[in-house]
Amino acid sequence: MFKFIIRPFQSVLLERKLCVGCTNSLENAKRLGNLSNNRFMVECKCKRRYVFDKELNQYQRATFAEEQQLLRQLEKERQHSK
Ligand SMILES: [Zn+2]
């Protein structure tokens, strides 16, 4: 029953581009990097990570796989800049 209440509420927050944890605006979240041309990951002040999809114009919670992908990408970029 708890899930039925919490799910729509989280979607409403994400639709308004607000963090589901601390309700800060995700527009002000720190941008971590691009996953693809249309998608980039941000990190809120509370350390929750989200992926913004430009086509959908919407934020979603980042999955573990997406976080790993971005970390690998950042690692690669760091090595290139050396
Ligand atoms: Zn937050």
Side-chain angles (χ1 to χ4, degrees):
M1 196 171 154
F2 187 60
K3 266 186 183 166
F4 282 112
I5 298 165
I6 208 82
R7 271 250 178 93
F9 182 59
Q10 289 201 355
S11 337
V12 169
L13 288 175
L14 286 175
E15 271 166 30
R16 292 179 185 181
K17 300 182 169 60
L18 300 173
C19 174
V20 300
C22 65
T23 68
N24 262 309
S25 172
L26 291 172
E27 308 278 284
N28 302 324
K30 189 175 135 199
R31 201 156 155 168
L32 294 179
N34 291 321
L35 283 165
S36 68
N37 286 337
N38 291 320
R39 299 165 79 232
F40 61 85
M41 193 179 288
V42 298
E43 185 181 83
C44 184
K45 283 176 205 158
C46 67
K47 299 295 175 195
R48 283 179 177 80
R49 286 169 182 174
Y50 299 88
V51 173
F52 183 73
D53 191 309
K54 288 182 192 169
E55 278 178 22
L56 300 173
N57 189 32
Q58 199 179 2
Y59 284 96
Q60 285 168 336
R61 291 294 300 271
T63 64
F64 182 73
E66 284 166 340
E67 288 189 13
Q68 293 304 305
Q69 186 196 334
L70 189 80
L71 287 177
R72 272 199 303 272
Q73 237 164 265
L74 292 178
E75 194 61 38
K76 239 185 265 171
E77 280 165 28
R78 212 176 301 151
Q79 281 165 2
H80 273 293
S81 62
K82 265 179 197 165

